[in-house]
Amino acid sequence: LSVQGMRIRTVLSDLKEEVDGKGTTASALRLELSSRLYVEGVTLSRDDVKITPAPSGYKLRVQYDSRTQFLSDIWFLGVIDEQIEIQR
């Protein structure tokens, strides 16, 4: 669970570094993010990723929770909530 969180943080950081200030669009951001997450082996649903307009670009937020069964009635729950702002 923590490995997925690190992968998502790394992908978001790399994405911000690469497209920040280069005039990207929301659909291009979604496509780039999904392809990078696919390479990292992270599968998220469309509802886990929110891209909203911001005054100077876009806010990209990943909210994701993962449950892993430990014993019969005991589960581990990992919550990932990361956000970046991309400048146009």
mmCIF file of all heavy atoms in Angstrom, residues 22-57:
data_model
loop_
_atom_site.group_PDB
_atom_site.id
_atom_site.type_symbol
_atom_site.label_atom_id
_atom_site.label_comp_id
_atom_site.label_asym_id
_atom_site.label_seq_id
_atom_site.Cartn_x
_atom_site.Cartn_y
_atom_site.Cartn_z
ATOM 1 N N LYS A 22 3.604 24.752 -19.673
ATOM 2 C CA LYS A 22 3.712 24.446 -21.101
ATOM 3 C C LYS A 22 2.364 24.468 -21.822
ATOM 4 O O LYS A 22 2.261 23.979 -22.942
ATOM 5 C CB LYS A 22 4.378 23.093 -21.289
ATOM 6 C CG LYS A 22 5.770 23.067 -20.693
ATOM 7 C CD LYS A 22 6.692 22.180 -21.438
ATOM 8 C CE LYS A 22 8.105 22.406 -20.966
ATOM 9 N NZ LYS A 22 8.679 21.341 -20.227
ATOM 10 N N GLY A 23 1.326 25.038 -21.203
ATOM 11 C CA GLY A 23 0.037 25.209 -21.863
ATOM 12 C C GLY A 23 -0.703 23.917 -22.164
ATOM 13 O O GLY A 23 -1.225 23.747 -23.251
ATOM 14 N N THR A 24 -0.779 23.037 -21.223
ATOM 15 C CA THR A 24 -1.455 21.750 -21.415
ATOM 16 C C THR A 24 -2.969 21.881 -21.223
ATOM 17 O O THR A 24 -3.452 22.901 -20.753
ATOM 18 C CB THR A 24 -0.869 20.690 -20.467
ATOM 19 O OG1 THR A 24 -1.384 19.420 -20.820
ATOM 20 C CG2 THR A 24 -1.202 20.996 -19.024
ATOM 21 N N THR A 25 -3.695 20.847 -21.585
ATOM 22 C CA THR A 25 -5.143 20.813 -21.395
ATOM 23 C C THR A 25 -5.503 19.730 -20.374
ATOM 24 O O THR A 25 -4.679 18.868 -20.058
ATOM 25 C CB THR A 25 -5.865 20.494 -22.719
ATOM 26 O OG1 THR A 25 -5.485 19.180 -23.137
ATOM 27 C CG2 THR A 25 -5.512 21.506 -23.799
ATOM 28 N N ALA A 26 -6.752 19.763 -19.896
ATOM 29 C CA ALA A 26 -7.197 18.775 -18.909
ATOM 30 C C ALA A 26 -7.186 17.370 -19.500
ATOM 31 O O ALA A 26 -6.764 16.414 -18.833
ATOM 32 C CB ALA A 26 -8.594 19.126 -18.408
ATOM 33 N N SER A 27 -7.614 17.227 -20.750
ATOM 34 C CA SER A 27 -7.628 15.888 -21.353
ATOM 35 C C SER A 27 -6.211 15.371 -21.581
ATOM 36 O O SER A 27 -5.948 14.178 -21.410
ATOM 37 C CB SER A 27 -8.420 15.894 -22.655
ATOM 38 O OG SER A 27 -7.869 16.805 -23.577
ATOM 39 N N ALA A 28 -5.293 16.247 -21.946
ATOM 40 C CA ALA A 28 -3.893 15.827 -22.112
ATOM 41 C C ALA A 28 -3.291 15.418 -20.769
ATOM 42 O O ALA A 28 -2.521 14.454 -20.693
ATOM 43 C CB ALA A 28 -3.075 16.942 -22.749
ATOM 44 N N LEU A 29 -3.643 16.143 -19.712
ATOM 45 C CA LEU A 29 -3.163 15.778 -18.369
ATOM 46 C C LEU A 29 -3.679 14.406 -17.962
ATOM 47 O O LEU A 29 -2.939 13.577 -17.440
ATOM 48 C CB LEU A 29 -3.634 16.803 -17.336
ATOM 49 C CG LEU A 29 -2.833 18.069 -17.185
ATOM 50 C CD1 LEU A 29 -3.544 19.029 -16.237
ATOM 51 C CD2 LEU A 29 -1.438 17.776 -16.702
ATOM 52 N N ARG A 30 -4.976 14.165 -18.191
ATOM 53 C CA ARG A 30 -5.570 12.873 -17.820
ATOM 54 C C ARG A 30 -4.910 11.730 -18.588
ATOM 55 O O ARG A 30 -4.587 10.689 -18.028
ATOM 56 C CB ARG A 30 -7.077 12.886 -18.078
ATOM 57 C CG ARG A 30 -7.769 11.639 -17.564
ATOM 58 C CD ARG A 30 -9.263 11.727 -17.698
ATOM 59 N NE ARG A 30 -9.865 12.755 -16.882
ATOM 60 C CZ ARG A 30 -10.122 12.649 -15.585
ATOM 61 N NH1 ARG A 30 -9.817 11.540 -14.945
ATOM 62 N NH2 ARG A 30 -10.684 13.624 -14.920
ATOM 63 N N LEU A 31 -4.688 11.934 -19.880
ATOM 64 C CA LEU A 31 -4.047 10.905 -20.704
ATOM 65 C C LEU A 31 -2.612 10.645 -20.252
ATOM 66 O O LEU A 31 -2.197 9.492 -20.109
ATOM 67 C CB LEU A 31 -4.076 11.328 -22.174
ATOM 68 C CG LEU A 31 -3.470 10.342 -23.155
ATOM 69 C CD1 LEU A 31 -4.264 9.044 -23.178
ATOM 70 C CD2 LEU A 31 -3.424 10.961 -24.543
ATOM 71 N N GLU A 32 -1.866 11.706 -20.006
ATOM 72 C CA GLU A 32 -0.476 11.559 -19.566
ATOM 73 C C GLU A 32 -0.403 10.874 -18.197
ATOM 74 O O GLU A 32 0.422 9.987 -17.977
ATOM 75 C CB GLU A 32 0.194 12.931 -19.512
ATOM 76 C CG GLU A 32 1.650 12.903 -19.196
ATOM 77 C CD GLU A 32 2.503 12.277 -20.287
ATOM 78 O OE1 GLU A 32 2.109 12.318 -21.463
ATOM 79 O OE2 GLU A 32 3.574 11.730 -19.948
ATOM 80 N N LEU A 33 -1.284 11.267 -17.282
ATOM 81 C CA LEU A 33 -1.299 10.652 -15.950
ATOM 82 C C LEU A 33 -1.646 9.175 -16.036
ATOM 83 O O LEU A 33 -0.976 8.341 -15.420
ATOM 84 C CB LEU A 33 -2.290 11.374 -15.042
ATOM 85 C CG LEU A 33 -2.427 10.804 -13.630
ATOM 86 C CD1 LEU A 33 -1.129 10.954 -12.862
ATOM 87 C CD2 LEU A 33 -3.572 11.464 -12.901
ATOM 88 N N SER A 34 -2.673 8.834 -16.800
ATOM 89 C CA SER A 34 -3.075 7.427 -16.879
ATOM 90 C C SER A 34 -1.995 6.562 -17.524
ATOM 91 O O SER A 34 -1.765 5.432 -17.096
ATOM 92 C CB SER A 34 -4.401 7.274 -17.617
ATOM 93 O OG SER A 34 -4.265 7.665 -18.952
ATOM 94 N N SER A 35 -1.298 7.083 -18.522
ATOM 95 C CA SER A 35 -0.236 6.282 -19.140
ATOM 96 C C SER A 35 0.940 6.095 -18.188
ATOM 97 O O SER A 35 1.530 5.014 -18.127
ATOM 98 C CB SER A 35 0.218 6.900 -20.460
ATOM 99 O OG SER A 35 0.816 8.156 -20.245
ATOM 100 N N ARG A 36 1.269 7.124 -17.421
ATOM 101 C CA ARG A 36 2.366 6.986 -16.451
ATOM 102 C C ARG A 36 2.008 6.023 -15.321
ATOM 103 O O ARG A 36 2.845 5.248 -14.876
ATOM 104 C CB ARG A 36 2.740 8.352 -15.871
ATOM 105 C CG ARG A 36 3.457 9.233 -16.855
ATOM 106 C CD ARG A 36 3.631 10.624 -16.291
ATOM 107 N NE ARG A 36 4.216 11.497 -17.267
ATOM 108 C CZ ARG A 36 5.401 12.077 -17.125
ATOM 109 N NH1 ARG A 36 6.119 11.881 -16.052
ATOM 110 N NH2 ARG A 36 5.860 12.866 -18.068
ATOM 111 N N LEU A 37 0.766 6.096 -14.849
ATOM 112 C CA LEU A 37 0.340 5.171 -13.797
ATOM 113 C C LEU A 37 0.313 3.734 -14.311
ATOM 114 O O LEU A 37 0.645 2.806 -13.579
ATOM 115 C CB LEU A 37 -1.032 5.575 -13.252
ATOM 116 C CG LEU A 37 -1.072 6.852 -12.425
ATOM 117 C CD1 LEU A 37 -2.502 7.228 -12.095
ATOM 118 C CD2 LEU A 37 -0.242 6.723 -11.168
ATOM 119 N N TYR A 38 -0.068 3.550 -15.563
ATOM 120 C CA TYR A 38 -0.075 2.212 -16.165
ATOM 121 C C TYR A 38 1.333 1.625 -16.178
ATOM 122 O O TYR A 38 1.538 0.456 -15.834
ATOM 123 C CB TYR A 38 -0.641 2.282 -17.584
ATOM 124 C CG TYR A 38 -0.611 0.953 -18.298
ATOM 125 C CD1 TYR A 38 -1.566 -0.023 -18.025
ATOM 126 C CD2 TYR A 38 0.372 0.672 -19.232
ATOM 127 C CE1 TYR A 38 -1.538 -1.247 -18.669
ATOM 128 C CE2 TYR A 38 0.403 -0.553 -19.886
ATOM 129 C CZ TYR A 38 -0.539 -1.502 -19.605
ATOM 130 O OH TYR A 38 -0.503 -2.711 -20.241
ATOM 131 N N VAL A 39 2.308 2.447 -16.543
ATOM 132 C CA VAL A 39 3.706 1.993 -16.566
ATOM 133 C C VAL A 39 4.165 1.597 -15.165
ATOM 134 O O VAL A 39 4.894 0.630 -14.991
ATOM 135 C CB VAL A 39 4.619 3.096 -17.159
ATOM 136 C CG1 VAL A 39 6.084 2.781 -16.921
ATOM 137 C CG2 VAL A 39 4.339 3.274 -18.644
ATOM 138 N N GLU A 40 3.700 2.328 -14.153
ATOM 139 C CA GLU A 40 4.077 2.036 -12.764
ATOM 140 C C GLU A 40 3.274 0.881 -12.169
ATOM 141 O O GLU A 40 3.539 0.457 -11.044
ATOM 142 C CB GLU A 40 3.892 3.278 -11.896
ATOM 143 C CG GLU A 40 4.869 4.384 -12.186
ATOM 144 C CD GLU A 40 6.285 4.029 -11.814
ATOM 145 O OE1 GLU A 40 6.498 3.253 -10.856
ATOM 146 O OE2 GLU A 40 7.193 4.528 -12.497
ATOM 147 N N GLY A 41 2.266 0.393 -12.886
ATOM 148 C CA GLY A 41 1.472 -0.721 -12.385
ATOM 149 C C GLY A 41 0.392 -0.318 -11.400
ATOM 150 O O GLY A 41 -0.072 -1.138 -10.613
ATOM 151 N N VAL A 42 -0.023 0.946 -11.441
ATOM 152 C CA VAL A 42 -1.063 1.446 -10.545
ATOM 153 C C VAL A 42 -2.356 1.592 -11.346
ATOM 154 O O VAL A 42 -2.376 2.237 -12.386
ATOM 155 C CB VAL A 42 -0.673 2.809 -9.938
ATOM 156 C CG1 VAL A 42 -1.785 3.339 -9.059
ATOM 157 C CG2 VAL A 42 0.627 2.690 -9.157
ATOM 158 N N THR A 43 -3.425 0.966 -10.860
ATOM 159 C CA THR A 43 -4.712 1.035 -11.530
ATOM 160 C C THR A 43 -5.675 1.867 -10.697
ATOM 161 O O THR A 43 -5.955 1.523 -9.553
ATOM 162 C CB THR A 43 -5.296 -0.376 -11.728
ATOM 163 O OG1 THR A 43 -4.345 -1.182 -12.413
ATOM 164 C CG2 THR A 43 -6.588 -0.331 -12.514
ATOM 165 N N LEU A 44 -6.139 2.962 -11.270
ATOM 166 C CA LEU A 44 -7.104 3.824 -10.603
ATOM 167 C C LEU A 44 -8.343 3.943 -11.474
ATOM 168 O O LEU A 44 -8.258 3.885 -12.702
ATOM 169 C CB LEU A 44 -6.520 5.230 -10.387
ATOM 170 C CG LEU A 44 -5.288 5.347 -9.507
ATOM 171 C CD1 LEU A 44 -4.811 6.786 -9.465
ATOM 172 C CD2 LEU A 44 -5.572 4.858 -8.110
ATOM 173 N N SER A 45 -9.482 4.139 -10.835
ATOM 174 C CA SER A 45 -10.700 4.371 -11.609
ATOM 175 C C SER A 45 -10.758 5.849 -12.006
ATOM 176 O O SER A 45 -10.036 6.690 -11.459
ATOM 177 C CB SER A 45 -11.940 3.992 -10.804
ATOM 178 O OG SER A 45 -12.187 4.954 -9.806
ATOM 179 N N ARG A 46 -11.615 6.153 -12.923
ATOM 180 C CA ARG A 46 -11.769 7.536 -13.390
ATOM 181 C C ARG A 46 -12.209 8.452 -12.248
ATOM 182 O O ARG A 46 -11.864 9.635 -12.224
ATOM 183 C CB ARG A 46 -12.771 7.560 -14.541
ATOM 184 C CG ARG A 46 -12.873 8.875 -15.239
ATOM 185 C CD ARG A 46 -13.621 8.712 -16.550
ATOM 186 N NE ARG A 46 -13.783 9.959 -17.236
ATOM 187 C CZ ARG A 46 -12.888 10.490 -18.059
ATOM 188 N NH1 ARG A 46 -11.765 9.857 -18.279
ATOM 189 N NH2 ARG A 46 -13.114 11.647 -18.652
ATOM 190 N N ASP A 47 -12.975 7.917 -11.304
ATOM 191 C CA ASP A 47 -13.455 8.717 -10.173
ATOM 192 C C ASP A 47 -12.357 9.041 -9.162
ATOM 193 O O ASP A 47 -12.535 9.939 -8.341
ATOM 194 C CB ASP A 47 -14.591 7.996 -9.456
ATOM 195 C CG ASP A 47 -15.818 7.840 -10.331
ATOM 196 O OD1 ASP A 47 -16.008 8.670 -11.252
ATOM 197 O OD2 ASP A 47 -16.587 6.891 -10.097
ATOM 198 N N ASP A 48 -11.258 8.315 -9.193
ATOM 199 C CA ASP A 48 -10.165 8.547 -8.250
ATOM 200 C C ASP A 48 -9.328 9.767 -8.627
ATOM 201 O O ASP A 48 -8.555 10.265 -7.807
ATOM 202 C CB ASP A 48 -9.250 7.327 -8.169
ATOM 203 C CG ASP A 48 -9.942 6.113 -7.583
ATOM 204 O OD1 ASP A 48 -10.912 6.298 -6.815
ATOM 205 O OD2 ASP A 48 -9.527 4.986 -7.887
ATOM 206 N N VAL A 49 -9.447 10.222 -9.859
ATOM 207 C CA VAL A 49 -8.644 11.351 -10.355
ATOM 208 C C VAL A 49 -9.581 12.498 -10.699
ATOM 209 O O VAL A 49 -10.513 12.339 -11.472
ATOM 210 C CB VAL A 49 -7.831 10.943 -11.599
ATOM 211 C CG1 VAL A 49 -7.054 12.122 -12.132
ATOM 212 C CG2 VAL A 49 -6.911 9.785 -11.286
ATOM 213 N N LYS A 50 -9.316 13.664 -10.105
ATOM 214 C CA LYS A 50 -10.119 14.853 -10.382
ATOM 215 C C LYS A 50 -9.197 15.940 -10.936
ATOM 216 O O LYS A 50 -8.177 16.257 -10.343
ATOM 217 C CB LYS A 50 -10.778 15.363 -9.110
ATOM 218 C CG LYS A 50 -11.585 14.334 -8.364
ATOM 219 C CD LYS A 50 -13.050 14.574 -8.470
ATOM 220 C CE LYS A 50 -13.900 13.669 -7.636
ATOM 221 N NZ LYS A 50 -13.685 12.286 -7.687
ATOM 222 N N ILE A 51 -9.590 16.487 -12.082
ATOM 223 C CA ILE A 51 -8.861 17.604 -12.670
ATOM 224 C C ILE A 51 -9.839 18.767 -12.752
ATOM 225 O O ILE A 51 -10.863 18.681 -13.429
ATOM 226 C CB ILE A 51 -8.314 17.252 -14.066
ATOM 227 C CG1 ILE A 51 -7.345 16.070 -13.959
ATOM 228 C CG2 ILE A 51 -7.616 18.461 -14.685
ATOM 229 C CD1 ILE A 51 -6.853 15.546 -15.283
ATOM 230 N N THR A 52 -9.526 19.851 -12.030
ATOM 231 C CA THR A 52 -10.405 21.006 -11.996
ATOM 232 C C THR A 52 -9.632 22.251 -12.420
ATOM 233 O O THR A 52 -8.422 22.354 -12.159
ATOM 234 C CB THR A 52 -10.986 21.225 -10.586
ATOM 235 O OG1 THR A 52 -9.908 21.337 -9.653
ATOM 236 C CG2 THR A 52 -11.890 20.082 -10.175
ATOM 237 N N PRO A 53 -10.315 23.183 -13.059
ATOM 238 C CA PRO A 53 -9.649 24.436 -13.443
ATOM 239 C C PRO A 53 -9.246 25.236 -12.211
ATOM 240 O O PRO A 53 -9.968 25.270 -11.214
ATOM 241 C CB PRO A 53 -10.705 25.180 -14.255
ATOM 242 C CG PRO A 53 -11.754 24.188 -14.589
ATOM 243 C CD PRO A 53 -11.682 23.114 -13.561
ATOM 244 N N ALA A 54 -8.104 25.855 -12.282
ATOM 245 C CA ALA A 54 -7.608 26.754 -11.243
ATOM 246 C C ALA A 54 -7.351 28.100 -11.919
ATOM 247 O O ALA A 54 -7.284 28.169 -13.147
ATOM 248 C CB ALA A 54 -6.343 26.191 -10.617
ATOM 249 N N PRO A 55 -7.181 29.159 -11.155
ATOM 250 C CA PRO A 55 -6.976 30.478 -11.771
ATOM 251 C C PRO A 55 -5.812 30.534 -12.770
ATOM 252 O O PRO A 55 -5.899 31.223 -13.779
ATOM 253 C CB PRO A 55 -6.706 31.387 -10.581
ATOM 254 C CG PRO A 55 -7.344 30.711 -9.424
ATOM 255 C CD PRO A 55 -7.254 29.238 -9.699
ATOM 256 N N SER A 56 -4.771 29.787 -12.506
ATOM 257 C CA SER A 56 -3.606 29.867 -13.398
ATOM 258 C C SER A 56 -3.290 28.536 -14.085
ATOM 259 O O SER A 56 -2.211 28.365 -14.625
ATOM 260 C CB SER A 56 -2.390 30.336 -12.604
ATOM 261 O OG SER A 56 -2.125 29.428 -11.560
ATOM 262 N N GLY A 57 -4.226 27.586 -14.045
ATOM 263 C CA GLY A 57 -3.967 26.290 -14.673
ATOM 264 C C GLY A 57 -4.988 25.258 -14.255
ATOM 265 O O GLY A 57 -6.184 25.471 -14.382
#
